[in-house]
Amino acid sequence: MENLKKLLEIYEMLGEEEDIVNPSNELIKEGQILKLAARNTSAQERYLFLFNNMLLYCVPRFSLVGSKFTVRTRVGIDGMKILETHNEEYPHTFQVSGKERTLELQASSEQDKEEWIKALQETIDAFHQRHETFRNAIAKDNDIHSEVSTAELGKRAPRWIRDNEVTMCMKCKESFNALTRRRHHCRACGHVVCWKCSDYKAQLEYDGGKLSKVCKDCYQIISGFTDSEEKKRKGILEIESAEVSGNSVVCSFLQYMEKSKPWQKAWCVIPKQDPLVLYMYGAPQDVRAQATIPLLGYVVDDMPRSADLPHSFKLTQSKSVHSFAADSEELKQKWLKIIRLAVTGETPDGPNEHPAALDDHPDPKRKSEC
């Protein structure tokens, strides 16, 4: 009766929203705690209710009436692991890792920390003793950066490596900076990665099957995609400029204009593996194309449009019009030789594959049609 009375009191403090009033539930420990933020080392005030089968992670509500706490996360004891951590700026810290979420917490004192760790570990041990499915009661890995195993990826919430613990992407090793390479977290393994290495999404079981941002390695493990299958999955615009430029039929900067839009400079590439498509990037090292033009069926018009751009040419197909301008007549002719082959469906591996066609110097007034 005393246990049920206590459960009813907690039920009211939680706004009567959590289904905890059950004879099988038993309150083990409760108290204030600080939560270390994942993205920095700031501490936030929280409150814990530890039961024999779950941990309620709550946010205090500063209200004179009604509920006193809002439940942020319910972490099941089944599969929970406790790890003592060390933080130079914030003492008395420990980590609670559950299937639903991983929390890094700070106690008010070393004694308070030891009491929480003891209560949590004893609750875990008792839970598994009551359930024959118990396999690994105590986490033996004392590494602060203990990772989610490959078998548990997407099934267990990882510990997020904090931003200030790394200076470079944990996947591609490129250094972070505030403008072009910012920090992101993989929701499956918790590693800090750059935007390029986190440009994937996978369904995470611990998060209710929601699509979440993950790194490439975790994406391939969770989804089962191989590198070759992943290249097929990625959109055509996601092929890196450096990748196609190093194995291209032709590539260079060209001025580009679409319809009545202003002229802009673009790095243009026709790759050997896709010689009927023109890729346009903002710069030679960009990792994603700004646009692509399937050349097959276009009409080529090499008449200059103005005296300011004497080395210009135009591609038209129905209502689609793309205008280009090269820096020299020689560069313009080099592009026209390749494009005139592409619009008719010919696929040269390089400029020297079709010497007759490439050595032809077409009449500047002539148009080539598919």
Side-chain angles (χ1 to χ4, degrees):
M1 290 298 295
E2 290 179 2
N3 180 56
L4 285 176
K5 182 179 178 181
K6 184 61 178 178
L7 291 177
L8 281 169
E9 291 176 359
I10 298 174
Y11 177 68
E12 293 175 356
M13 286 191 288
L14 300 178
E16 301 181 356
E17 294 181 358
E18 292 293 322
D19 183 19
I20 62 170
V21 183
N22 188 306
S24 64
N25 290 343
E26 179 185 354
L27 179 68
I28 306 298
K29 183 178 175 61
E30 66 174 292
Q32 292 182 339
I33 203 80
L34 292 178
K35 163 70 169 60
L36 297 187
R39 293 194 173 277
N40 51 57
T41 52
S42 64
Q44 303 159 338
E45 185 177 342
R46 297 291 185 261
Y47 200 93
L48 300 180
F49 290 99
L50 174 61
F51 296 90
N52 58 332
N53 58 354
M54 63 182 165
L55 176 70
L56 296 184
Y57 169 69
C58 307
V59 178
R61 294 186 62 181
F62 301 98
S63 175
L64 297 177
V65 295
S67 61
K68 295 183 179 180
F69 303 100
T70 299
V71 177
R72 182 66 60 85
T73 304
R74 180 192 288 223
V75 184
I77 298 299
D78 187 15
M80 181 181 289
K81 297 178 182 178
I82 308 302
L83 179 68
E84 184 175 357
T85 58
H86 302 279
N87 189 299
E88 294 180 359
E89 297 183 37
Y90 292 83
H92 321 311
T93 58
F94 61 99
Q95 179 181 306
V96 178
S97 175
K99 293 180 179 179
E100 298 82 3
R101 186 168 180 181
T102 294
L103 306 167
E104 189 157 10
L105 306 171
Q106 181 189 12
S108 59
S109 65
E110 190 65 23
Q111 180 181 351
D112 188 31
K113 167 186 170 180
E114 291 175 359
E115 289 176 355
W116 270 112
I117 291 178
K118 180 181 179 182
L120 285 161
Q121 193 61 62
E122 288 180 351
T123 302
I124 293 171
D125 294 345
F127 177 89
H128 287 298
Q129 287 171 5
R130 292 193 304 269
H131 298 76
E132 296 180 352
T133 56
F134 174 51
R135 293 292 182 269
N136 298 304
I138 301 174
K140 297 180 181 180
D141 186 0
N142 292 322
D143 183 4
I144 188 173
H145 300 311
S146 60
E147 300 180 357
V148 176
S149 67
T150 300
E152 292 179 311
L153 278 176
K155 300 178 181 178
R156 168 187 290 275
R159 171 192 180 266
W160 279 23
I161 306 299
R162 284 195 293 277
D163 288 356
N164 62 356
E165 294 179 355
V166 294
T167 61
M168 63 180 67
C169 174
M170 298 176 74
K171 297 300 178 181
C172 69
K173 314 304 180 187
E174 290 291 333
S175 298
F176 291 118
N177 60 66
L179 296 177
T180 60
R181 197 173 288 272
R182 300 177 63 186
R183 291 168 169 82
H184 299 269
H185 279 88
C186 172
R187 270 60 173 177
C189 67
H191 285 189
V192 184
V193 294
C194 64
W195 71 268
K196 178 182 174 183
C197 292
S198 65
D199 193 23
Y200 301 83
K201 286 191 175 182
Q203 289 183 324
L204 303 182
E205 186 176 321
Y206 79 83
D207 200 18
K210 185 173 68 176
L211 278 174
S212 301
K213 185 186 291 290
V214 297
C215 67
K216 179 180 178 181
D217 293 344
C218 291
Y219 173 81
Q220 291 183 346
I221 293 172
I222 295 171
S223 66
F225 275 98
T226 62
D227 281 333
S228 59
E229 290 172 329
E230 172 61 16
K231 288 182 179 179
K232 293 177 182 178
R233 184 196 69 85
K234 291 173 66 176
I236 191 172
L237 295 178
E238 296 181 43
I239 300 177
E240 295 186 24
S241 171
E243 178 184 334
V244 296
S245 298
N247 189 29
S248 64
V249 180
V250 61
C251 61
S252 74
F253 277 111
L254 293 175
Q255 294 291 331
Y256 170 70
M257 180 182 70
E258 183 181 7
K259 297 181 180 178
S260 59
K261 296 180 182 179
W263 287 90
Q264 59 182 349
K265 193 174 184 180
W267 178 255
C268 300
V269 184
I270 297 180
K272 288 184 179 179
Q273 71 269 26
D274 203 4
L276 300 184
V277 178
L278 171 61
Y279 289 74
M280 289 185 289
Y281 298 85
Q285 296 299 321
D286 280 359
V287 297
R288 182 181 174 91
Q290 295 178 347
T292 59
I293 302 175
L295 297 172
L296 185 63
Y298 270 87
V299 176
V300 182
D301 181 0
D302 62 358
M303 289 292 290
R305 302 285 47 74
S306 68
D308 295 333
L309 296 168
H311 314 301
S312 61
F313 59 94
K314 184 170 66 174
L315 299 177
T316 59
Q317 186 183 71
S318 184
K319 296 181 179 180
S320 180
V321 180
H322 304 279
S323 299
F324 297 88
D327 292 337
S328 66
E329 186 64 23
E330 180 182 1
L331 181 59
K332 169 185 172 180
Q333 294 301 325
K334 180 179 180 180
W335 274 97
L336 287 175
K337 290 172 185 177
I338 303 300
I339 290 175
R340 285 197 171 103
L341 292 171
V343 298
T344 61
E346 296 189 54
T347 58
D349 291 329
N352 298 322
E353 292 291 325
H354 297 263
L358 297 179
D359 290 340
D360 260 347
H361 293 283
D363 185 342
K365 296 183 180 180
R366 175 175 168 244
K367 293 182 180 179
S368 174
E369 300 184 13
C370 176

